[in-house]
Amino acid sequence: NAGVTQTPKFRVLKTGQSMTLLCAQDMNHEYMYWYRQDPGMGLRLIHYSVGEGTTAKGEVPDGYNVSRLKKQNFLLGLESAAPSQTSVYFCASSSIDRAYEQYFGPGTRLTVT
Amino acid sequence: AQSVSQHNHHVILSEAASLELGCNYSYGGTVNLFWYVQYPGQHLQLLLKYFSGDPLVKGIKGFEAEFIKSKFSFNLRKPSVQWSDTAEYFCAVNAHDMRFGAGTRLTVKP
């Protein structure tokens, strides 16, 4: 049981490049989330999904897109990376009956130069 | 929208000292409250949670937190810290969605 996994672990992008971060969970959770963590600001919710095929905006959605084509996967896309998107990105998941108890992945450290 | 404040950015303690980390939130309705811990190089792990009932909640590794509704607070405590408690601690509140505090970095000196 791997829990929540994220790929890649590290990535360096140039301004304007695009990339996709993959989150996968093997706990059959309905809900999945993408956060970014910045020094002194804690974690901020980017987008989330309450089920396959559905997504919703969180606190800081601008510059990101997401897709949930399969229940176990939640993809976060950056179409045109900016230095302000340099951050550590965490994915999390939770079950429908314990929605508030989120399980986190190991994080992806992204640097945009 | 709800928000979460953690008053201490960095706390330095010696082993066996007592710990209290402050957490206040702003939201007038029903909330669920959490403390997460992030050990160096690791992802966030749930330390304890409060949904309802007894406002004194016990978590893993000897941590506890008390929900004081009148003060909108959910402070984390541990009577005697260990070097292995060195980590970053995040308070979180879930009303409409999950909001995290900025975190408190705890350094425990051996």
Side-chain angles (χ1 to χ4, degrees):
Chain A
N1 207 349
V4 181
T5 57
Q6 293 181 231
T7 51
K9 289 188 168 51
F10 304 94
R11 186 71 187 269
V12 178
L13 286 179
K14 292 194 169 141
T15 298
Q17 287 185 318
S18 63
M19 79 162 293
T20 301
L21 280 67
L22 171 64
C23 175
Q25 52 93 7
D26 61 2
M27 296 174 282
N28 202 34
H29 284 169
E30 290 78 11
Y31 298 167
M32 296 186 75
Y33 314 83
W34 274 108
Y35 293 90
R36 59 178 290 173
Q37 183 184 25
D38 301 294
M41 301 187 77
L43 278 80
R44 292 179 292 168
L45 183 64
I46 304 171
H47 286 280
Y48 63 99
S49 168
V50 298
E52 186 177 322
T54 70
T55 62
K57 293 180 180 180
E59 188 184 354
V60 288
D62 294 340
Y64 305 95
N65 57 76
V66 287
S67 64
R68 184 107 180 262
L69 299 179
K70 292 182 180 181
K71 185 178 183 179
Q72 63 268 33
N73 295 337
F74 194 30
L75 279 64
L76 177 70
L78 286 74
E79 289 186 348
S80 179
S84 60
Q85 294 178 304
T86 292
S87 187
V88 180
Y89 292 86
F90 286 97
C91 177
S93 71
S94 62
S95 66
I96 198 168
D97 55 343
R98 296 173 74 86
Y100 305 130
E101 193 163 337
Q102 297 183 14
Y103 293 82
F104 284 82
T108 295
R109 185 173 293 277
L110 174 67
T111 302
V112 183
T113 61
Chain B
Q2 74 263 30
S3 64
V4 184
S5 297
Q6 292 183 242
H7 316 299
N8 314 101
H9 296 294
H10 189 192
V11 172
I12 302 173
L13 295 173
S14 297
E15 275 194 315
S18 64
L19 169 72
E20 181 159 2
L21 301 182
C23 172
N24 285 89
Y25 65 94
S26 63
Y27 184 74
T30 302
V31 293
N32 300 297
L33 300 159
F34 307 83
W35 276 98
Y36 282 87
V37 59
Q38 188 176 27
Y39 297 104
Q42 297 188 26
H43 57 280
L44 274 79
Q45 301 170 45
L46 183 65
L47 202 52
L48 49 77
K49 60 184 183 286
Y50 171 81
F51 289 167
S52 63
D54 189 343
L56 185 62
V57 180
K58 294 194 184 299
I60 59 171
K61 303 185 180 185
F63 285 91
E64 64 179 31
E66 186 175 12
F67 171 48
I68 303 179
K69 190 174 181 179
S70 60
K71 295 185 177 180
F72 298 90
S73 70
F74 190 55
N75 291 356
L76 181 71
R77 300 194 292 250
K78 186 171 184 180
S80 176
V81 295
Q82 300 172 312
W83 175 80
S84 58
D85 292 326
T86 294
E88 190 149 17
Y89 293 80
F90 293 92
C91 181
V93 173
N94 194 314
H96 301 295
D97 56 34
M98 190 78 100
R99 296 294 172 100
F100 286 81
T104 297
R105 186 153 60 100
L106 172 66
T107 301
V108 180
K109 294 183 174 179

